């Protein structure tokens, strides 16, 4: 039986004097599972990820990691973020540090791990993504796709239990998108637990174990990729997918 890693129950998020952004969101993520969160712009997808990572406060509900309520104390979030890693649209690499220095910073300074251990791990991962020859260069010397791949390796070197990806290809030129998506596909095949927000529909279908479709702050459909893309249950999901089908014509 699959082991539940992350559990979200009745999550509610609203900004001051505004309508709710997330309404009664509930779902689980099993260890080794990849879920893809789809929906129109402004529906709450990125806000959901940010709540899962402690970057956004929420007003109701619980988030449990390994059965423990992780949102009880804000002081615990820096430690929790080591277990729930996140990769953003913007790579956020420090420009004055080399690629290897960027990767080592968190594991060595925050987790107090040995430089030798983390360097060995980083070099193996950089070899896997074809960037070992770039380990001593600076971010300005890399393409956007290369920077995003480094950002993924940086997150992996913190040894998180789950990785969150928030539209990681949105800021990339089209020719750079594939190289980043290939890295995430490889992570999925290796059993990395992930929650991914994306507008890349073909990628979503290829990488997901399960699709969550959000509209106006609520999960209105949850299904396997094949069922969601071939026979969506709701009219809103059909309308959403038809837009992408039109774009591909």
């Amino acid at each position: 039986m699959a082991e539940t890693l992350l559990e979200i129950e009745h999550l509610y998020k609203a900004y001051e004097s505004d309508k709710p952004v997330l309404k009664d969101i509930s779902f689980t993520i099993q260890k080794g599972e990849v879920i893809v969160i789809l929906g129109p712009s402004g529906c709450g997808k990125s806000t959901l990820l940010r709540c899962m990572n402690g970057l956004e406060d929420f007003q109701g509900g619980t988030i449990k990691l390994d059965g423990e309520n992780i949102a009880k104390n804000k002081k615990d979030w820096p430690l929790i973020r080591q277990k729930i890693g996140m990769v953003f649209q913007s790579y956020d690499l420090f420009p004055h540090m080399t690629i290897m220095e960027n990767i080592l910073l968190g594991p060595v300074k925050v987790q107090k791990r040995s430089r030798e251990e983390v360097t060995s791990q980083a070099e193996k991962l950089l070899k896997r993504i074809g960037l070992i020859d770039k380990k001593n260069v600076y971010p300005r010397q890399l393409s956007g796709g290369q920077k995003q791949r480094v950002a993924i390796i940086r997150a992996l070197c913190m040894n998180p239990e789950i990785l969150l990806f928030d539209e990681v290809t949105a800021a990339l030129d089209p020719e750079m998108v594939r190289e980043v998506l290939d890295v995430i596909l490889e992570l999925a095949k290796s059993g990395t637990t992930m929650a991914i927000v994306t507008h890349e529909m073909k990628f979503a279908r290829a990488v997901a174990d399960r699709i969550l479709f959000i509209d106006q702050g609520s999960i209105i459909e949850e299904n396997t990729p094949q069922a969601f893309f071939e026979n969506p249950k709701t009219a809103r999901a059909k309308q959403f997918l038809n837009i992408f089908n039109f774009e591909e014509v």
Side-chain angles (χ1 to χ4, degrees):
M1 186 175 177
E3 176 186 348
T4 298
L5 179 63
L6 194 74
E7 186 175 3
I8 294 178
E9 296 178 324
H10 307 297
L11 190 69
Y12 177 87
K13 163 73 179 177
Y15 292 107
E16 289 183 22
S17 66
D18 201 358
K19 64 181 181 180
V21 180
L22 300 172
K23 311 169 194 172
D24 198 27
I25 297 284
S26 296
F27 65 94
T28 60
I29 302 176
Q30 310 304 313
K31 189 172 183 180
E33 185 180 26
V34 178
I35 70 160
V36 172
I37 303 166
L38 300 178
S41 296
C43 71
K45 304 184 301 294
S46 294
T47 300
L48 174 57
L49 288 192
R50 292 175 67 85
C51 287
M52 292 163 65
N53 190 249
L55 296 174
E56 292 275 3
D57 292 330
F58 51 92
Q59 289 73 47
T62 59
I63 300 176
K64 296 179 181 178
L65 180 68
D66 297 320
E68 295 286 331
N69 187 347
I70 61 176
K72 291 185 294 186
N73 191 339
K74 289 183 180 181
K75 293 181 180 179
D76 294 336
W77 274 113
L79 180 60
I80 292 164
R81 286 192 193 104
Q82 296 177 41
K83 300 179 181 181
I84 305 176
M86 190 160 177
V87 184
F88 302 88
Q89 288 183 28
S90 54
Y91 338 109
D92 294 329
L93 301 177
F94 292 107
H96 63 289
M97 292 182 171
T98 66
I99 297 311
M100 184 60 76
E101 288 170 344
N102 266 280
I103 295 170
L104 294 180
L105 184 62
V108 174
K109 295 293 185 182
V110 177
Q111 295 181 327
K112 308 300 182 185
R113 290 159 56 197
S114 77
R115 180 174 291 270
E116 292 75 16
E117 174 211 344
V118 183
T119 298
S120 175
Q121 180 185 15
E123 288 180 342
K124 289 176 183 176
L125 290 169
L126 286 170
K127 283 178 184 176
R128 277 175 59 186
I129 65 168
L131 289 179
I132 187 63
D133 60 323
K134 305 293 186 182
K135 68 177 184 178
N136 294 320
V137 307
Y138 290 87
R140 65 178 179 275
Q141 297 170 267
L142 300 184
S143 69
Q146 289 172 329
K147 290 175 187 176
Q148 194 60 283
R149 283 185 281 163
V150 169
I152 294 171
I153 297 305
R154 179 179 58 182
L156 283 171
C157 280
M158 296 293 285
N159 295 331
E161 294 187 39
I162 181 172
L163 265 179
L164 313 179
F165 293 89
D166 185 17
E167 293 282 13
V168 294
T169 60
L172 299 180
D173 293 333
E175 64 267 22
M176 297 178 183
V177 169
R178 184 72 203 186
E179 62 190 48
V180 174
L181 297 184
D182 282 343
V183 172
I184 302 174
L185 281 166
E186 185 177 340
L187 292 176
K189 291 176 183 176
S190 70
T192 303
T193 310
M194 295 183 282
I196 302 169
V197 167
T198 183
H199 279 116
E200 301 284 343
M201 293 297 110
K202 290 181 179 178
F203 167 70
R205 183 167 184 166
V207 76
D209 295 306
R210 187 158 42 105
I211 300 287
L212 301 182
F213 180 68
I214 295 181
D215 189 41
Q216 297 182 2
S218 298
I219 297 174
I220 64 170
E221 188 159 340
E222 180 176 347
N223 218 326
T224 65
Q226 181 176 354
F228 178 79
F229 284 102
E230 294 181 7
N231 188 28
K233 295 181 289 188
T234 62
R236 183 66 185 93
K238 291 176 183 177
Q239 180 186 35
F240 175 80
L241 290 173
N242 281 339
I243 294 171
F244 287 94
N245 290 336
F246 175 77
E247 289 176 350
E248 291 176 2
V249 172

